[in-house]
Amino acid sequence: MAEEFEFELIFALPKGAEDPFALSDAVFEAGFEDALVGTGMAGLLGVELITEGDDAESVILEAARALIRTLPEGTTLREVRPDLVSLADVAEKLNVKRQALQQREMPFPVAGGLYRIDEMMELLTAAREPQPGKRRPRFDLDPAQKWFRAGKAARKVNALLTMREIDPATVEFVTGSRSELAGVSARERA
């Protein structure tokens, strides 16, 4: 069953390929007419998408591959978000103030006030359950579900990029990598 996923792809651009209009045209050409395109930091391109599919990892990889084919030659996939998130990121998605989250039990941060999105989701999901002697939370997770659903897959894709199991220039599995071999054996069993 298809679900919607909300995520952002961050690309490193080759020198001289920073024309925001040309980049927006390339995103449109890749089939993402509703994408939010960010060119605010020189040398980087952010493309925020809401896309439908059966699983988040496949949706993220397919979108990244489609974009890499239309973006300037030499563009590489640098990062997928959401992966590590701040309280401000989560508060914005839940339409609450950051202080409302600070008053709750939170997972341990992993780096500089950033949290793993899937750990954050687990705690927020548990917080929705009524607990004796505690106030009910005043946030609604439902509008943010498509963002949270993409988080675990974003973390996995970032790990595969870091371990060089996915080529950042093609967004394809590196031949002979553990992930590529696992994908082949899974396809052979099907």
Side-chain angles (χ1 to χ4, degrees):
M1 179 177 179
E3 296 179 288
E4 281 191 326
F5 302 98
E6 181 180 349
F7 56 94
E8 185 177 4
L9 301 170
I10 309 298
F11 295 95
L13 300 167
K15 291 218 180 283
E18 298 169 358
D19 176 14
F21 297 109
L23 294 169
S24 292
D25 287 347
V27 171
F28 184 83
E29 185 182 323
F32 301 107
E33 297 87 14
D34 295 333
L36 182 60
V37 179
T39 58
M41 183 175 280
L44 293 178
L45 171 70
V47 181
E48 189 172 324
L49 301 166
I50 298 176
T51 309
E52 194 174 279
D54 291 330
D55 73 279
E57 185 180 347
S58 296
V59 167
I60 289 169
L61 291 172
E62 288 170 19
R65 288 174 187 137
L67 285 162
I68 209 94
R69 286 190 293 268
T70 62
L71 290 169
E73 186 174 336
T75 299
T76 58
L77 180 62
R78 181 159 175 77
E79 177 185 2
V80 181
R81 296 178 185 162
D83 178 353
L84 297 177
V85 296
S86 68
L87 287 180
D89 295 332
V90 176
E92 180 183 336
K93 290 295 180 182
L94 298 177
N95 200 24
V96 297
K97 297 205 181 294
R98 186 182 45 143
Q99 291 80 359
L101 294 176
Q102 289 174 319
Q103 296 170 3
R104 304 197 156 280
E105 179 183 340
M106 288 289 122
F108 291 111
V110 293
L114 297 175
Y115 301 85
R116 291 185 178 109
I117 191 168
D118 49 335
E119 292 175 358
M120 183 67 74
M121 180 61 182
E122 286 175 25
L123 259 109
L124 293 172
T125 300
R128 287 197 327 183
E129 300 300 318
Q131 307 217 351
K134 293 196 176 186
R135 291 181 7 181
R136 294 189 71 114
R138 293 189 173 169
F139 57 80
D140 184 9
L141 283 174
D142 294 337
Q145 284 297 331
K146 53 189 160 196
W147 184 68
F148 280 113
R149 277 195 300 267
K152 191 172 185 178
R155 284 187 59 208
K156 183 176 180 184
V157 171
N158 285 336
L160 294 170
L161 282 166
T162 300
M163 295 184 317
R164 303 283 187 222
E165 291 195 22
I166 292 179
D167 179 2
T170 62
V171 194
E172 297 293 341
F173 285 100
V174 175
T175 304
S177 71
R178 287 177 291 177
S179 298
E180 192 260 350
L181 293 173
V184 168
S185 61
R187 284 190 296 268
E188 289 171 353
R189 283 183 292 218

